[in-house]
């Protein structure tokens, strides 16, 4: 089965719709989302509705949990906390209900799914090889999917070797048939790897391969929605830079 894997949508409907269009044209049969539907962006209800309609699996991210009131907003940066408070005041009852039903990990599939990392599904940013090593030691599945850092990357470890990792460009393919892996699709709604295009991953669970994808979207539209909501201007500006 081919699965489309996405993460970190962050209330960016424009980016989410562009990714859904691309997935529609692919051979993916299911959509799995690694969390952070809301936070930062101005259209949380629309994004939750799209996730509800299209995602077979959806995890909770730290921002979703912050909006639910399960993580104190003091743990977030100023801009993120402001956006979380705005989201709390804005979202509909049905959005709230959907977010309330999500968990930050799913261990029921052939690969492990975590919003952040196998040893800390909510908060750990896996960006360095030593960290990846410890996560690979902790994980029960040979291959795990992670989000949270908003960077398209992978870490892997062959038997008896040390873990290595790198950021991944669109079109790059991973051979997942051997070794242990942590695979991050990058972010749909707020990429931070210098490429403003919305990121997603095509995962083939029969051939054990994965391919990184990127799609252009209406960045100006998403930024205008953030400004119209009177959210911090920096949240609008960063989208154009992929930061
Ligand atoms: Zn996020």
């Amino acid at each position: 089965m081919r699965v489309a894997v996405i993460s970190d949508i962050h209330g960016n409907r424009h980016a989410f719709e562009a990714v859904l269009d691309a997935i529609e044209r692919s051979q993916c049969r299911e959509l799995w989302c690694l969390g952070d539907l809301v936070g930062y962006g101005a259209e949380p209800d629309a994004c939750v509705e799209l996730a509800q309609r299209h995602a077979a699996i959806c995890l909770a991210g730290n921002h979703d949990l912050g909006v639910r009131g399960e993580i104190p907003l003091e743990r977030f940066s100023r801009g993120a906390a402001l956006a979380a408070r705005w989201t709390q005041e804005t979202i509909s009852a049905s959005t709230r209900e959907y977010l309330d039903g999500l968990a930050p990990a799913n261990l029921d599939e052939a690969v492990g799914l975590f919003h952040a990392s196998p040893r800390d599904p909510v908060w750990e940013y896996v960006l360095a090889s030593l960290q990846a090593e410890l996560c690979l030691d902790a994980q029960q599945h040979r291959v795990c999917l992670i989000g949270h850092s908003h960077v398209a990357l992978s870490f892997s470890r062959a038997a008896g070797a040390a873990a290595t990792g790198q950021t991944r460009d669109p079109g790059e393919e991973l051979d997942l048939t051997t070794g242990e892996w942590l695979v991050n699709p990058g972010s749909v709604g707020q990429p931070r790897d210098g490429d403003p295009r919305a990121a997603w991953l095509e995962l083939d669970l029969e051939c054990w391969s994965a391919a990184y994808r990127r799609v252009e979207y209406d960045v100006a539209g998403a930024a205008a929605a953030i400004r119209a909501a009177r959210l911090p201007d920096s949240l609008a500006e960063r989208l154009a830079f992929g930061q």
Side-chain angles (χ1 to χ4, degrees):
M1 182 175 71
R2 277 199 200 191
V3 178
V5 183
I6 61 169
S7 193
D8 300 281
I9 288 103
H10 285 298
N12 188 337
R13 172 184 61 85
H14 293 80
F16 198 2
E17 284 178 344
V19 166
L20 288 170
D21 282 348
I23 292 169
E24 188 115 329
R25 293 192 299 272
S26 76
Q27 291 175 355
C28 294
R29 292 278 178 80
E30 273 192 11
L31 172 64
W32 295 355
C33 174
L34 305 177
D36 275 356
L37 290 170
V38 302
Y40 298 125
E43 296 182 82
D45 284 335
C47 290
V48 166
E49 201 182 302
L50 288 169
Q52 203 163 3
R53 205 177 322 146
H54 296 281
I57 295 173
C58 189
L59 305 182
N62 53 310
H63 290 257
D64 304 319
L65 295 169
V67 167
R68 266 157 60 171
E70 285 172 42
I71 296 177
L73 296 183
E74 298 81 70
R75 289 200 65 186
F76 291 83
S77 68
R78 188 179 162 274
L82 279 169
R85 213 161 290 128
W86 176 88
T87 305
Q88 284 174 335
E89 289 160 7
T90 306
I91 54 173
S92 69
S94 68
T95 291
R96 175 65 209 235
E97 198 183 330
Y98 183 75
L99 293 178
D100 279 346
L102 306 179
N106 181 322
L107 304 174
D108 299 336
E109 303 299 325
V111 297
L113 287 82
F114 302 91
H115 174 65
S117 93
R119 46 175 200 166
D120 177 356
V122 177
W123 273 110
E124 184 180 24
Y125 293 88
V126 185
L127 291 165
S129 296
L130 175 60
Q131 260 181 312
E133 196 88 52
L134 298 168
C135 290
L136 291 168
D137 287 344
Q139 72 191 36
Q140 296 162 24
H141 295 75
R142 192 175 62 77
V143 177
C144 286
L145 304 172
I146 56 172
H148 190 53
S149 70
H150 300 206
V151 176
L153 55 74
S154 71
F155 288 96
S156 62
R157 182 167 71 182
T164 57
Q166 61 198 98
T167 57
R168 295 292 182 177
D169 294 325
E172 272 197 89
E173 291 190 17
L174 306 179
D175 176 359
L176 305 172
T177 50
T178 60
E180 296 166 288
W181 289 84
L182 288 163
V183 180
N184 190 325
S187 168
V188 170
Q190 196 198 74
R192 291 179 194 162
D193 50 13
D195 182 344
R197 293 176 295 173
W200 65 287
L201 183 87
E202 211 171 321
L203 175 68
D204 189 326
L205 291 168
E206 271 146 38
C207 303
W208 287 95
S209 64
Y212 285 87
R213 305 285 183 224
R214 228 60 196 229
V215 57
E216 294 203 16
Y217 76 95
D218 180 7
V219 173
I226 287 171
R227 292 197 174 101
R230 299 182 168 276
L231 285 161
D233 207 46
S234 58
L235 299 180
E237 264 168 44
R238 66 190 297 175
L239 296 178
F241 300 97
Q243 293 293 344

